[in-house]
Amino acid sequence: MVRKGWVTPKAMVEEFEANEYVAACWGVACEVDWANKVEWAQGDYKRGVTHDSDHCGNPRNQVIYDYNSDGIADAMIEERTDGLGDLRCEIFRDSSYSSPLNISDVKSGWTIYWTTSSSDGRTWNHRGKVFNEYPGRPNHS
């Protein structure tokens, strides 16, 4: 026997929940020639603070993460370093490296500056122009 009855109507809302990382719609690669000149001028080049197109110069190695799992990008990490593990990037809007920039505010077309630091105290200075990962599709992520 099937029972029939009245059910009170109710609205349900689904909330988007990001997975492990947020897919960024932009990429950035370090301008390694510029960065190596900076490190040389500072005297850090001889201490092994060098830049390479296979590492920081490869845009696929700068990855955007959502550590808080709230759907908002909150960190950029350099992966596939030369034996240094994953390095967290601190992003800046200018070459003085004095105006921190929130990763979620970065726009395609900007030149950004960032630093990475190793556990032995060395710091790398980077610069790169942000580009749209999907030309013609600015909202694709």
Side-chain angles (χ1 to χ4, degrees):
M1 170 195 247
V2 177
R3 284 190 105 166
K4 294 183 180 183
W6 289 98
V7 177
T8 305
K10 58 183 168 181
M12 302 288 286
V13 176
E14 289 186 39
E15 189 173 321
F16 170 75
E17 220 173 287
N19 283 338
E20 297 172 16
Y21 68 96
V22 174
C25 297
W26 55 267
V28 66
C30 179
E31 297 172 15
V32 296
D33 291 338
W34 176 90
N36 280 326
K37 287 177 187 173
V38 168
E39 308 304 1
W40 186 266
Q42 295 181 154
D44 292 333
Y45 194 89
K46 294 177 183 175
R47 294 183 339 132
V49 180
T50 62
H51 302 260
D52 186 285
S53 60
D54 288 338
H55 302 291
C56 62
N58 181 339
R60 299 284 179 229
N61 292 351
Q62 277 67 245
V63 180
I64 309 303
Y65 280 87
D66 173 16
Y67 281 115
N68 298 327
S69 298
D70 59 4
I72 299 171
D74 51 28
M76 182 168 83
I77 305 295
E78 181 185 339
E79 298 181 335
R80 295 175 287 283
T81 61
D82 191 14
L84 298 170
D86 293 347
L87 301 177
R88 192 167 187 144
C89 305
E90 187 170 1
I91 303 171
F92 303 90
R93 184 69 173 116
D94 60 60
S95 61
S96 69
Y97 295 89
S98 62
S99 301
L101 183 62
N102 188 321
I103 188 73
S104 62
D105 294 332
V106 174
K107 305 282 186 249
S108 183
W110 284 7
T111 295
I112 61 170
Y113 300 80
W114 69 96
T115 58
T116 51
S117 298
S118 62
S119 60
D120 63 8
R122 294 178 294 163
T123 297
W124 285 257
N125 296 283
H126 307 269
R127 176 180 82 177
K129 185 167 184 172
V130 177
F131 63 91
N132 187 350
E133 282 278 345
Y134 303 95
R137 298 173 68 191
N139 295 324
H140 183 81
S141 22

